[in-house]
Amino acid sequence: MNSTSTTCRACQTEGTGKFCSNCGQSLVIKKVTLPYLLHEVFHFFTHLDKGIGYTLKHLITSPGTMQRDFLAGNRNRHQKPFSMYFVAASVAALGLYWINYVILHYHHVGGGSEMAFFNKYLVMMLLVIIPASALLTWLFFYNSEFGFAEIGVMQLYMLSIFFLMVMLIQFLKLIWPALETRYIELPCFLVYTVFTFKNFFLYQAKWKVILKAIACGLIFYLSVINLQDFIVERYMH
């Protein structure tokens, strides 16, 4: 019995069955409905075998090791470093904007300057800090087995988690609007940095790696905070 031939919507190749033999896209196009969207959400959280979900899971459970595996060649299942960074930064910028919008309009805490900063300038600022952060780490670990570009990849993944971490911590302000979250963000970032560096820079004494990780983390965090405050004070009023 002959199967009905279907034209692939992506590459226009004629084919039979469920998937295109040329590009792999599904030949059965389902209408986008609410159950379809719920299924996609469920699939995302239960099939974390590649892409953003897979990368996030390993950045949380094995920071530093995940980056070493990527640099060693295990790359097919991981989200690429720059796309991971920009997705995380964009999600964080959007989340921080709406959190500040809510606490300003419903709790009357804060100001429109920070909200405008998160909306307009955060992602651009993050473009600037990546090479600076990579250079800082490379200078601290110039005698490691990794070059500047490889350390940059490690930083892209690590800072992706940092942005999402900051956004999640900021959600506490919806309960306590006047909470100064920087006192929570800094220790969380330092702990994550220490674990990442300890698992990434394997061929140096652990105590040296920990001290360098704390120094790099402090310099980076305080630089970002001061730069943010400078932009808000100088250009957002």
Side-chain angles (χ1 to χ4, degrees), residues 41-124:
V41 173
F42 178 78
H43 187 274
F44 175 80
F45 285 106
T46 56
H47 295 76
L48 300 180
D49 56 353
K50 64 186 302 185
I52 292 178
Y54 179 84
T55 306
L56 275 176
K57 180 175 70 173
H58 285 268
L59 283 172
I60 294 170
T61 59
S62 52
T65 302
M66 177 263 143
Q67 288 97 317
R68 287 186 67 92
D69 289 344
F70 180 88
L71 293 173
N74 181 18
R75 302 176 185 179
N76 288 337
R77 302 171 79 180
H78 290 294
Q79 189 75 14
K80 298 297 185 287
F82 275 104
S83 62
M84 183 72 196
Y85 180 81
F86 285 117
V87 167
S90 299
V91 169
L94 183 62
L96 291 170
Y97 170 81
W98 282 108
I99 291 168
N100 279 270
Y101 178 88
V102 169
I103 64 175
L104 175 63
H105 288 81
Y106 293 97
H107 297 286
H108 307 291
V109 175
S113 298
E114 283 196 357
M115 189 171 65
F117 169 80
F118 292 130
N119 185 38
K120 295 181 179 180
Y121 295 107
L122 179 62
V123 174
M124 287 189 291

Coordinates of all heavy atoms in Angstrom, one line a residue, residues 41-124:
V41 N 6.1 22.6 26.6 CA 6.7 23.0 27.9 C 7.1 21.7 28.7 O 8.2 21.6 29.2 CB 5.7 23.8 28.7 CG1 6.3 24.0 30.2 CG2 5.5 25.2 28.1
F42 N 6.1 20.7 28.7 CA 6.4 19.5 29.4 C 7.6 18.8 28.7 O 8.5 18.2 29.4 CB 5.2 18.6 29.3 CG 5.3 17.2 30.0 CD1 5.3 17.1 31.3 CD2 5.5 16.1 29.2 CE1 5.4 15.9 31.9 CE2 5.7 14.9 29.8 CZ 5.7 14.8 31.2
H43 N 7.6 18.8 27.4 CA 8.7 18.1 26.7 C 10.1 18.8 27.0 O 11.1 18.1 27.2 CB 8.5 18.2 25.2 CG 9.5 17.4 24.4 ND1 10.7 17.9 24.0 CD2 9.4 16.1 23.9 CE1 11.3 17.0 23.3 NE2 10.6 15.9 23.2
F44 N 10.1 20.1 27.1 CA 11.3 20.8 27.4 C 11.9 20.4 28.7 O 13.1 20.2 28.9 CB 11.0 22.3 27.4 CG 12.2 23.2 27.8 CD1 13.2 23.5 26.9 CD2 12.4 23.6 29.1 CE1 14.3 24.2 27.3 CE2 13.5 24.4 29.5 CZ 14.4 24.7 28.6
F45 N 11.0 20.3 29.8 CA 11.5 20.0 31.1 C 11.7 18.5 31.3 O 12.4 18.1 32.3 CB 10.6 20.5 32.2 CG 10.7 22.0 32.3 CD1 9.7 22.8 31.8 CD2 11.8 22.6 32.9 CE1 9.8 24.2 31.9 CE2 11.9 24.0 33.0 CZ 10.9 24.8 32.5
T46 N 11.2 17.6 30.5 CA 11.4 16.2 30.7 C 12.3 15.5 29.7 O 12.7 14.4 29.8 CB 10.0 15.5 30.6 OG1 9.4 15.7 29.4 CG2 9.2 15.9 31.8
H47 N 12.8 16.3 28.7 CA 13.7 15.7 27.7 C 14.9 16.6 27.5 O 15.1 17.2 26.4 CB 13.0 15.5 26.3 CG 11.8 14.5 26.3 ND1 10.6 14.8 26.9 CD2 11.8 13.2 25.9 CE1 9.9 13.7 26.8 NE2 10.5 12.8 26.2
L48 N 15.6 16.8 28.6 CA 16.7 17.7 28.6 C 18.0 17.0 28.1 O 18.9 16.7 28.8 CB 17.0 18.3 30.0 CG 15.8 19.1 30.6 CD1 16.2 19.6 32.0 CD2 15.4 20.2 29.7
D49 N 17.9 16.6 26.8 CA 19.0 15.8 26.2 C 19.9 16.6 25.2 O 20.9 16.1 24.7 CB 18.5 14.6 25.5 CG 17.5 14.9 24.4 OD1 17.1 16.1 24.3 OD2 17.1 14.0 23.7
K50 N 19.5 17.9 25.0 CA 20.3 18.7 24.1 C 19.8 20.2 24.2 O 18.7 20.4 24.8 CB 20.3 18.3 22.7 CG 18.9 18.3 22.0 CD 18.9 17.7 20.6 CE 19.9 18.4 19.7 NZ 19.8 17.8 18.3
G51 N 20.6 21.1 23.7 CA 20.2 22.5 23.7 C 20.3 23.2 25.0 O 21.0 22.9 25.9
I52 N 19.4 24.3 25.1 CA 19.5 25.1 26.3 C 19.2 24.4 27.6 O 19.9 24.5 28.6 CB 18.5 26.3 26.1 CG1 18.9 27.2 25.0 CG2 18.4 27.1 27.4 CD1 18.0 28.4 24.7
G53 N 18.2 23.5 27.6 CA 17.8 22.8 28.8 C 19.0 21.9 29.2 O 19.3 21.9 30.4
Y54 N 19.5 21.2 28.3 CA 20.7 20.3 28.6 C 21.8 21.1 29.2 O 22.5 20.7 30.1 CB 21.0 19.5 27.4 CG 22.2 18.6 27.5 CD1 22.0 17.3 28.0 CD2 23.5 18.9 27.2 CE1 23.1 16.4 28.2 CE2 24.6 18.1 27.3 CZ 24.3 16.8 27.8 OH 25.4 15.9 28.0
T55 N 22.1 22.2 28.5 CA 23.3 23.0 28.9 C 23.0 23.6 30.3 O 24.0 23.6 31.2 CB 23.5 24.1 27.9 OG1 23.7 23.5 26.6 CG2 24.8 24.9 28.2
L56 N 21.8 24.1 30.5 CA 21.5 24.7 31.9 C 21.7 23.6 33.0 O 22.2 23.9 34.0 CB 20.1 25.2 31.9 CG 19.9 26.6 31.4 CD1 18.4 27.0 31.4 CD2 20.6 27.6 32.2
K57 N 21.2 22.4 32.7 CA 21.2 21.4 33.7 C 22.7 21.1 34.1 O 23.0 21.0 35.3 CB 20.6 20.1 33.1 CG 20.6 18.9 34.1 CD 19.8 17.8 33.6 CE 20.5 17.1 32.4 NZ 19.8 15.8 32.0
H58 N 23.6 21.0 33.1 CA 25.0 20.7 33.4 C 25.7 21.9 33.9 O 26.7 21.7 34.7 CB 25.6 20.1 32.1 CG 25.2 18.7 31.8 ND1 25.9 17.6 32.3 CD2 24.1 18.2 31.1 CE1 25.3 16.5 31.9 NE2 24.2 16.9 31.2
L59 N 25.3 23.1 33.6 CA 26.0 24.3 34.2 C 25.6 24.4 35.7 O 26.4 24.9 36.5 CB 25.5 25.5 33.5 CG 26.2 25.8 32.1 CD1 25.6 27.0 31.4 CD2 27.7 26.0 32.3
I60 N 24.5 23.9 36.0 CA 24.0 23.9 37.4 C 24.6 22.7 38.2 O 25.1 22.9 39.3 CB 22.5 23.8 37.5 CG1 21.9 25.2 37.0 CG2 22.0 23.7 39.0 CD1 20.4 25.1 36.8
T61 N 24.6 21.5 37.6 CA 25.1 20.4 38.4 C 26.6 20.1 38.3 O 27.2 19.5 39.2 CB 24.4 19.1 37.8 OG1 24.6 18.9 36.4 CG2 22.9 19.2 38.1
S62 N 27.2 20.6 37.2 CA 28.7 20.3 37.1 C 29.3 21.6 36.4 O 29.9 21.5 35.3 CB 28.9 19.1 36.2 OG 28.2 19.1 35.0
P63 N 29.3 22.7 37.1 CA 29.9 23.9 36.5 C 31.5 23.7 36.4 O 32.1 23.1 37.2 CB 29.6 25.0 37.6 CG 29.4 24.2 38.9 CD 28.8 22.9 38.5
G64 N 32.0 24.2 35.3 CA 33.4 24.1 35.1 C 33.7 22.8 34.3 O 34.4 22.8 33.3
T65 N 33.2 21.7 34.8 CA 33.3 20.4 34.1 C 32.6 20.5 32.7 O 33.1 19.9 31.7 CB 32.8 19.2 34.9 OG1 33.5 19.2 36.2 CG2 32.9 17.9 34.2
M66 N 31.4 21.1 32.8 CA 30.6 21.2 31.5 C 31.4 22.0 30.5 O 31.5 21.6 29.3 CB 29.3 21.9 31.8 CG 28.4 22.2 30.6 SD 28.7 23.9 30.0 CE 28.6 23.6 28.2
Q67 N 32.1 23.1 30.9 CA 32.9 23.9 30.0 C 34.1 23.1 29.4 O 34.5 23.2 28.3 CB 33.3 25.2 30.6 CG 32.2 26.2 30.8 CD 31.6 26.1 32.2 OE1 31.4 25.0 32.7 NE2 31.3 27.3 32.8
R68 N 34.7 22.3 30.3 CA 35.9 21.5 29.9 C 35.4 20.5 28.9 O 36.1 20.2 27.9 CB 36.5 20.8 31.1 CG 37.3 21.7 32.0 CD 38.0 20.8 33.1 NE 39.0 20.0 32.5 CZ 40.3 20.4 32.3 NH1 40.7 21.5 32.8 NH2 41.2 19.6 31.8
D69 N 34.3 19.9 29.1 CA 33.8 18.9 28.1 C 33.5 19.5 26.8 O 33.8 18.9 25.7 CB 32.5 18.2 28.7 CG 32.8 17.3 29.8 OD1 33.9 16.9 30.0 OD2 31.8 17.0 30.6
F70 N 32.9 20.7 26.8 CA 32.6 21.4 25.5 C 33.9 21.7 24.8 O 34.0 21.5 23.6 CB 31.9 22.7 25.8 CG 31.6 23.5 24.6 CD1 30.4 23.3 23.9 CD2 32.4 24.5 24.1 CE1 30.1 24.0 22.8 CE2 32.1 25.2 23.0 CZ 31.0 25.0 22.3
L71 N 34.9 22.2 25.5 CA 36.2 22.6 24.8 C 36.9 21.3 24.4 O 37.7 21.4 23.4 CB 37.1 23.3 25.8 CG 36.6 24.7 26.2 CD1 37.5 25.3 27.3 CD2 36.6 25.6 24.9
A72 N 36.7 20.2 25.0 CA 37.3 18.9 24.6 C 36.6 18.3 23.4 O 37.2 17.3 22.8 CB 37.3 17.9 25.8
G73 N 35.5 18.9 23.0 CA 34.8 18.4 21.8 C 33.4 17.9 21.9 O 32.8 17.5 20.9
N74 N 32.9 17.8 23.1 CA 31.6 17.3 23.4 C 30.6 18.5 23.2 O 30.1 19.1 24.1 CB 31.4 16.7 24.8 CG 30.0 16.2 25.1 OD1 29.2 16.0 24.2 ND2 29.7 16.1 26.3
R75 N 30.3 18.8 21.9 CA 29.6 20.1 21.6 C 28.2 19.9 21.0 O 27.4 20.8 21.0 CB 30.5 20.9 20.7 CG 31.8 21.2 21.3 CD 32.8 22.0 20.4 NE 34.1 22.1 21.0 CZ 35.1 22.7 20.4 NH1 35.0 23.2 19.2 NH2 36.3 22.8 21.0
N76 N 27.9 18.8 20.4 CA 26.7 18.6 19.7 C 25.4 18.8 20.5 O 24.4 19.4 20.1 CB 26.6 17.2 19.0 CG 27.5 17.1 17.9 OD1 27.9 18.1 17.3 ND2 27.9 15.9 17.5
R77 N 25.5 18.4 21.8 CA 24.3 18.5 22.6 C 24.2 19.8 23.4 O 23.2 20.1 24.0 CB 24.3 17.3 23.6 CG 24.3 16.0 22.9 CD 24.6 14.8 23.9 NE 23.4 14.5 24.6 CZ 23.3 13.5 25.5 NH1 24.4 12.8 25.8 NH2 22.2 13.2 26.0
H78 N 25.2 20.6 23.4 CA 25.2 21.8 24.1 C 24.8 23.0 23.3 O 25.1 23.1 22.1 CB 26.6 22.1 24.7 CG 27.0 21.2 25.8 ND1 26.4 21.2 27.0 CD2 28.0 20.3 25.9 CE1 27.0 20.3 27.8 NE2 28.0 19.7 27.1
Q79 N 24.1 24.0 23.9 CA 23.9 25.2 23.3 C 25.2 26.0 23.1 O 26.1 26.0 23.9 CB 22.9 26.1 24.2 CG 22.4 27.4 23.5 CD 21.3 27.1 22.5 OE1 20.8 26.0 22.5 NE2 21.0 28.1 21.7
K80 N 25.4 26.6 21.9 CA 26.6 27.3 21.6 C 26.8 28.5 22.6 O 25.8 29.1 23.1 CB 26.6 27.8 20.2 CG 26.5 26.7 19.2 CD 27.8 25.8 19.2 CE 27.8 24.8 18.1 NZ 26.8 23.8 18.3
P81 N 28.0 28.8 23.0 CA 28.3 29.7 24.1 C 27.7 31.1 23.9 O 27.1 31.7 24.8 CB 29.8 29.8 24.2 CG 30.3 29.2 22.9 CD 29.3 28.2 22.5
F82 N 27.8 31.7 22.7 CA 27.3 33.0 22.4 C 25.8 33.1 22.4 O 25.2 34.0 23.0 CB 27.9 33.6 21.1 CG 29.2 34.2 21.3 CD1 30.3 33.6 20.8 CD2 29.4 35.5 21.9 CE1 31.6 34.2 20.9 CE2 30.6 36.1 22.0 CZ 31.7 35.4 21.5
S83 N 25.2 32.1 21.8 CA 23.7 32.1 21.8 C 23.2 31.8 23.3 O 22.2 32.4 23.7 CB 23.2 31.0 20.9 OG 23.6 29.7 21.3
M84 N 23.9 31.0 24.0 CA 23.5 30.7 25.4 C 23.6 32.0 26.2 O 22.7 32.4 27.0 CB 24.4 29.7 26.0 CG 24.0 29.3 27.5 SD 22.5 28.3 27.5 CE 22.1 28.4 29.2
Y85 N 24.6 32.8 26.0 CA 24.9 34.0 26.7 C 23.8 35.1 26.4 O 23.2 35.7 27.3 CB 26.3 34.6 26.3 CG 26.7 35.9 27.0 CD1 27.1 35.9 28.3 CD2 26.6 37.1 26.3 CE1 27.5 37.1 28.9 CE2 26.9 38.3 26.9 CZ 27.4 38.2 28.2 OH 27.8 39.4 28.8
F86 N 23.5 35.2 25.1 CA 22.5 36.2 24.7 C 21.1 35.9 25.1 O 20.3 36.7 25.4 CB 22.6 36.5 23.2 CG 23.8 37.3 22.8 CD1 24.8 36.8 22.0 CD2 24.0 38.6 23.3 CE1 25.9 37.5 21.6 CE2 25.1 39.3 22.9 CZ 26.0 38.8 22.1
V87 N 20.8 34.6 25.1 CA 19.5 34.1 25.5 C 19.3 34.4 27.0 O 18.3 35.0 27.5 CB 19.2 32.6 25.2 CG1 18.0 32.1 26.0 CG2 19.1 32.4 23.7
A88 N 20.3 34.1 27.8 CA 20.3 34.3 29.2 C 20.2 35.8 29.6 O 19.5 36.2 30.4 CB 21.5 33.6 29.9
A89 N 21.1 36.6 28.9 CA 21.1 38.0 29.1 C 19.8 38.7 28.8 O 19.3 39.5 29.5 CB 22.2 38.6 28.3
S90 N 19.2 38.2 27.6 CA 17.9 38.8 27.2 C 16.8 38.5 28.2 O 15.9 39.3 28.5 CB 17.6 38.3 25.8 OG 18.5 38.7 24.9
V91 N 16.7 37.2 28.6 CA 15.7 36.8 29.6 C 15.9 37.5 30.9 O 14.9 38.0 31.5 CB 15.8 35.2 29.8 CG1 15.0 34.8 31.0 CG2 15.4 34.5 28.6
A92 N 17.1 37.7 31.3 CA 17.4 38.4 32.6 C 17.0 39.9 32.5 O 16.4 40.4 33.4 CB 18.9 38.3 32.9
A93 N 17.3 40.5 31.3 CA 17.0 41.9 31.1 C 15.5 42.1 31.2 O 14.9 43.0 31.8 CB 17.6 42.4 29.8
L94 N 14.7 41.2 30.5 CA 13.3 41.3 30.4 C 12.7 41.1 31.8 O 11.8 41.8 32.3 CB 12.7 40.3 29.4 CG 11.2 40.3 29.2 CD1 10.7 41.7 28.7 CD2 10.8 39.2 28.3
G95 N 13.2 40.0 32.5 CA 12.7 39.7 33.8 C 13.0 40.8 34.8 O 12.1 41.2 35.6
L96 N 14.2 41.4 34.8 CA 14.5 42.5 35.7 C 13.7 43.7 35.4 O 13.3 44.5 36.4 CB 16.0 42.8 35.6 CG 16.9 41.7 36.1 CD1 18.4 42.0 35.7 CD2 16.8 41.6 37.6
Y97 N 13.4 44.0 34.2 CA 12.6 45.1 33.8 C 11.2 45.0 34.4 O 10.7 45.9 35.1 CB 12.4 45.2 32.3 CG 11.4 46.3 31.8 CD1 11.7 47.6 31.8 CD2 10.1 45.8 31.5 CE1 10.8 48.5 31.4 CE2 9.2 46.8 31.1 CZ 9.5 48.1 31.0 OH 8.5 49.0 30.6
W98 N 10.6 43.8 34.3 CA 9.2 43.6 34.8 C 9.1 43.6 36.3 O 8.2 44.0 36.9 CB 8.6 42.4 34.1 CG 8.1 42.7 32.7 CD1 8.6 42.2 31.6 CD2 7.0 43.5 32.4 NE1 8.0 42.7 30.5 CE2 6.9 43.5 30.9 CE3 6.1 44.2 33.1 CZ2 6.0 44.2 30.2 CZ3 5.1 45.0 32.3 CH2 5.1 44.9 31.0
I99 N 10.2 43.0 36.9 CA 10.2 43.0 38.4 C 10.2 44.4 38.9 O 9.5 44.8 39.8 CB 11.4 42.2 38.9 CG1 11.2 40.7 38.6 CG2 11.6 42.4 40.4 CD1 12.5 39.9 38.8
N100 N 11.1 45.3 38.3 CA 11.2 46.6 38.7 C 9.9 47.4 38.4 O 9.5 48.3 39.1 CB 12.4 47.3 38.1 CG 13.7 47.0 38.8 OD1 14.1 47.7 39.8 ND2 14.4 45.9 38.5
Y101 N 9.3 47.1 37.3 CA 8.0 47.7 36.9 C 7.0 47.4 38.0 O 6.2 48.3 38.4 CB 7.6 47.2 35.6 CG 6.2 47.8 35.1 CD1 6.2 49.0 34.4 CD2 5.0 47.1 35.4 CE1 5.0 49.5 34.0 CE2 3.8 47.6 35.0 CZ 3.8 48.8 34.3 OH 2.6 49.4 33.9
V102 N 6.9 46.2 38.4 CA 5.9 45.8 39.4 C 6.1 46.5 40.8 O 5.2 47.0 41.4 CB 5.8 44.2 39.6 CG1 5.0 43.9 40.8 CG2 5.3 43.6 38.3
I103 N 7.4 46.4 41.2 CA 7.6 47.0 42.6 C 7.5 48.5 42.6 O 7.2 49.2 43.6 CB 9.0 46.6 43.1 CG1 10.1 47.1 42.3 CG2 9.0 45.1 43.3 CD1 11.5 46.8 42.9
L104 N 7.7 49.2 41.4 CA 7.6 50.6 41.3 C 6.1 51.0 41.3 O 5.7 51.9 42.0 CB 8.3 51.1 40.0 CG 8.1 52.6 39.7 CD1 8.7 53.5 40.8 CD2 8.7 53.0 38.4
H105 N 5.3 50.3 40.5 CA 3.9 50.7 40.3 C 2.9 50.2 41.3 O 1.9 50.7 41.5 CB 3.4 50.3 38.9 CG 4.0 51.1 37.8 ND1 5.3 50.9 37.3 CD2 3.5 52.2 37.1 CE1 5.5 51.8 36.3 NE2 4.5 52.6 36.2
Y106 N 3.3 49.1 42.0 CA 2.4 48.5 42.9 C 2.9 48.6 44.4 O 2.1 48.6 45.3 CB 2.2 47.0 42.6 CG 1.4 46.8 41.3 CD1 2.1 46.5 40.2 CD2 0.0 46.9 41.3 CE1 1.4 46.4 38.9 CE2 -0.7 46.7 40.1 CZ 0.0 46.5 38.9 OH -0.7 46.3 37.7
H107 N 4.2 48.8 44.6 CA 4.7 48.9 45.9 C 5.3 50.3 46.1 O 5.7 50.7 47.2 CB 5.8 47.9 46.2 CG 5.2 46.5 46.2 ND1 4.4 45.9 47.2 CD2 5.4 45.5 45.3 CE1 4.1 44.7 46.9 NE2 4.7 44.4 45.8
H108 N 5.5 51.1 45.0 CA 6.0 52.4 45.0 C 7.4 52.5 45.7 O 7.7 53.3 46.5 CB 5.1 53.4 45.8 CG 3.6 53.3 45.3 ND1 3.3 53.8 44.1 CD2 2.5 52.8 45.9 CE1 2.0 53.6 43.9 NE2 1.5 53.0 44.9
V109 N 8.2 51.5 45.3 CA 9.6 51.4 45.8 C 10.5 51.4 44.5 O 10.2 50.8 43.5 CB 9.8 50.1 46.6 CG1 11.3 49.9 46.9 CG2 9.0 50.1 47.8
G110 N 11.6 52.1 44.6 CA 12.5 52.2 43.5 C 12.2 53.3 42.6 O 11.5 54.3 43.0
G111 N 12.8 53.3 41.4 CA 12.6 54.4 40.5 C 12.6 53.9 39.1 O 13.0 52.8 38.8
G112 N 12.1 54.8 38.2 CA 12.0 54.4 36.8 C 13.4 54.3 36.1 O 13.5 53.7 35.0
S113 N 14.4 54.9 36.7 CA 15.8 54.9 36.1 C 16.3 53.5 36.0 O 16.8 53.1 34.9 CB 16.7 55.7 37.0 OG 16.3 57.0 37.0
E114 N 16.2 52.7 37.0 CA 16.7 51.3 36.9 C 15.9 50.5 35.9 O 16.4 49.7 35.2 CB 16.7 50.6 38.3 CG 17.8 51.1 39.2 CD 18.0 50.2 40.4 OE1 17.2 49.2 40.5 OE2 18.9 50.4 41.2
M115 N 14.6 50.7 35.9 CA 13.7 50.0 35.0 C 14.1 50.3 33.6 O 14.2 49.4 32.7 CB 12.2 50.4 35.3 CG 11.2 49.6 34.5 SD 9.6 50.0 35.1 CE 9.4 51.7 34.6
A116 N 14.4 51.6 33.3 CA 14.8 52.0 31.9 C 16.1 51.4 31.6 O 16.4 51.0 30.4 CB 14.8 53.5 31.8
F117 N 17.0 51.3 32.6 CA 18.4 50.7 32.3 C 18.3 49.3 31.9 O 18.9 48.9 30.9 CB 19.2 50.8 33.6 CG 20.5 50.1 33.6 CD1 21.6 50.6 32.9 CD2 20.6 48.8 34.2 CE1 22.8 49.8 32.8 CE2 21.7 48.1 34.1 CZ 22.8 48.6 33.4
F118 N 17.4 48.5 32.6 CA 17.3 47.1 32.3 C 16.7 46.9 30.9 O 17.0 46.0 30.2 CB 16.4 46.4 33.3 CG 17.1 46.3 34.7 CD1 16.4 46.6 35.8 CD2 18.4 45.8 34.8 CE1 17.1 46.5 37.1 CE2 19.0 45.7 36.0 CZ 18.4 46.1 37.2
N119 N 15.8 47.9 30.5 CA 15.1 47.8 29.3 C 16.0 48.1 28.1 O 15.9 47.5 27.0 CB 13.9 48.7 29.3 CG 13.0 48.6 28.0 OD1 12.9 47.5 27.5 ND2 12.5 49.7 27.6
K120 N 16.9 49.1 28.3 CA 17.6 49.7 27.2 C 19.1 49.4 27.1 O 19.7 49.2 26.0 CB 17.5 51.2 27.2 CG 16.0 51.7 26.9 CD 16.0 53.2 26.9 CE 14.6 53.8 26.7 NZ 14.5 55.2 26.7
Y121 N 19.7 49.3 28.3 CA 21.2 49.3 28.3 C 21.8 48.0 28.9 O 23.0 47.8 28.7 CB 21.7 50.5 29.1 CG 21.3 51.8 28.5 CD1 20.3 52.6 29.0 CD2 22.0 52.2 27.3 CE1 20.0 53.8 28.5 CE2 21.7 53.4 26.8 CZ 20.7 54.2 27.3 OH 20.4 55.4 26.8
L122 N 21.1 47.1 29.5 CA 21.7 46.0 30.2 C 22.4 45.1 29.2 O 23.6 44.8 29.4 CB 20.7 45.2 31.0 CG 21.3 44.0 31.7 CD1 22.3 44.4 32.8 CD2 20.1 43.2 32.4
V123 N 21.7 44.7 28.1 CA 22.3 43.8 27.2 C 23.6 44.4 26.5 O 24.6 43.7 26.3 CB 21.3 43.3 26.1 CG1 22.0 42.5 25.1 CG2 20.2 42.5 26.8
M124 N 23.5 45.7 26.2 CA 24.7 46.3 25.6 C 25.8 46.4 26.6 O 27.0 46.2 26.2 CB 24.3 47.8 25.2 CG 23.4 47.8 23.9 SD 23.2 49.5 23.3 CE 22.2 50.2 24.6

